[in-house]
Amino acid sequence: ETGVTQSPTHLIKTRGQQVTLRCSSQSGHNTVSWYQQALGQGPQFIFQYYREEENGRGNFPPRFSGLQFPNYSSELNVNALELDDSALYLCASSLDSASIGETEAFFGQGTRLTVV
Amino acid sequence: GNSVTQMEGPVTLSEEAFLTINCTYTATGYPSLFWYVQYPGEGLQLLLKATKADDKGSNKGFEATYRKETTSFHLEKGSVQVSDSAVYFCALSPMEYGNKLVFGAGTILRVKS
């Protein structure tokens, strides 16, 4: 079975631009969560998608948005980029949206976004 | 709110030394608790978990016990190896929002041969 893959691995954007990050979930997984990991900090929950619907959101502004497709892959879109958006963006897939204590979340290697 | 506090690093140990990384949490009720590990250049991997009070999670020689009375989930290993060098994250999944993870800031572990 394939793991969680994210693309691109690195990218550099200019302040004010828009960016799209992509995630392919592990085979058989229908839930994708996105996290932002700033340098030297732990990951912070952005939002989760379950069967193509947003299923929970963390404390991030509306310029962070997402999509989930019928094959359960997902995109994270960030508009009007700010310097503080520079971070590692992690995608995690799991089997369903039940309590995460009952199912394991598998993380991709992340996309390193630098905003200049 | 929900939060996780873990000891600051880096923690530097010699091979075969005993490891403890402290983790305490704030949450209502009984969250599930986790340790994740991030090796250089890799994504987060689940190391171990515990879903109720007094449960002990264990994997690859690492252990952690869910202590409700002290709201702690300290990570221990009896004899570390150079290959254990990584960043370790303590995390919780809140009862009221079971499908998200709240992470601590991470602790860098460096093991010298």
Side-chain angles (χ1 to χ4, degrees):
Chain A
E1 72 185 10
T2 58
V4 179
T5 58
Q6 294 185 241
S7 62
T9 54
H10 298 82
L11 76 165
I12 300 173
K13 289 287 189 177
T14 302
R15 189 172 49 183
Q17 285 188 315
Q18 179 267 343
V19 69
T20 297
L21 310 182
R22 295 178 175 83
C23 171
S24 293
S25 59
Q26 183 157 313
S27 177
H29 286 182
N30 56 14
T31 302
V32 173
S33 303
W34 287 93
Y35 291 81
Q36 181 195 66
Q37 186 179 9
L39 195 62
Q41 297 182 24
Q44 291 196 30
F45 178 75
I46 303 174
F47 44 56
Q48 182 185 86
Y49 279 83
Y50 172 61
R51 294 185 177 179
E52 303 180 56
E53 298 287 330
E54 187 178 290
N55 184 46
R57 188 179 184 91
N59 189 26
F60 281 81
R63 60 190 184 83
F64 285 78
S65 63
L67 283 173
Q68 188 178 33
F69 300 100
N71 66 354
Y72 302 129
S73 65
S74 177
E75 287 183 353
L76 164 65
N77 299 291
V78 187
N79 294 321
L81 283 167
E82 301 177 359
L83 297 180
D84 285 348
D85 296 333
S86 296
L88 180 68
Y89 288 85
L90 296 167
C91 166
S93 77
S94 54
L95 181 55
D96 56 37
S97 68
S99 170
I100 204 164
E102 300 169 359
T103 184
E104 181 175 346
F106 291 84
F107 283 81
Q109 290 187 299
T111 294
R112 174 73 62 187
L113 172 64
T114 302
V115 182
V116 297
Chain B
N2 300 298
S3 66
V4 174
T5 303
Q6 55 183 111
M7 64 188 289
E8 290 190 21
V11 173
T12 303
L13 297 172
S14 297
E15 211 166 17
E16 299 184 4
F18 184 85
L19 168 71
T20 299
I21 300 178
N22 290 337
C23 171
T24 57
Y25 68 89
T26 301
T28 54
Y30 292 84
S32 296
L33 301 174
F34 306 83
W35 278 99
Y36 278 83
V37 58
Q38 190 172 37
Y39 297 103
E42 298 185 17
L44 290 169
Q45 300 176 26
L46 178 64
L47 181 59
L48 54 84
K49 69 179 184 183
T51 58
K52 59 183 187 292
D54 300 325
D55 267 3
K56 178 186 283 187
S58 61
N59 186 26
K60 300 180 182 179
F62 291 90
E63 293 183 340
T65 301
Y66 190 144
R67 300 289 188 200
K68 178 64 176 175
E69 63 276 13
T70 55
T71 61
S72 65
F73 193 55
H74 305 320
L75 182 67
E76 296 182 336
K77 186 176 185 183
S79 175
V80 294
Q81 306 300 313
V82 172
S83 57
D84 294 327
S85 298
V87 184
Y88 291 81
F89 292 93
C90 185
L92 67 83
S93 174
M95 278 186 70
E96 70 275 17
Y97 200 175
N99 57 6
K100 81 169 187 181
L101 290 162
V102 177
F103 286 89
T107 302
I108 297 172
L109 172 64
R110 296 179 180 143
V111 181
K112 302 183 298 184
S113 59

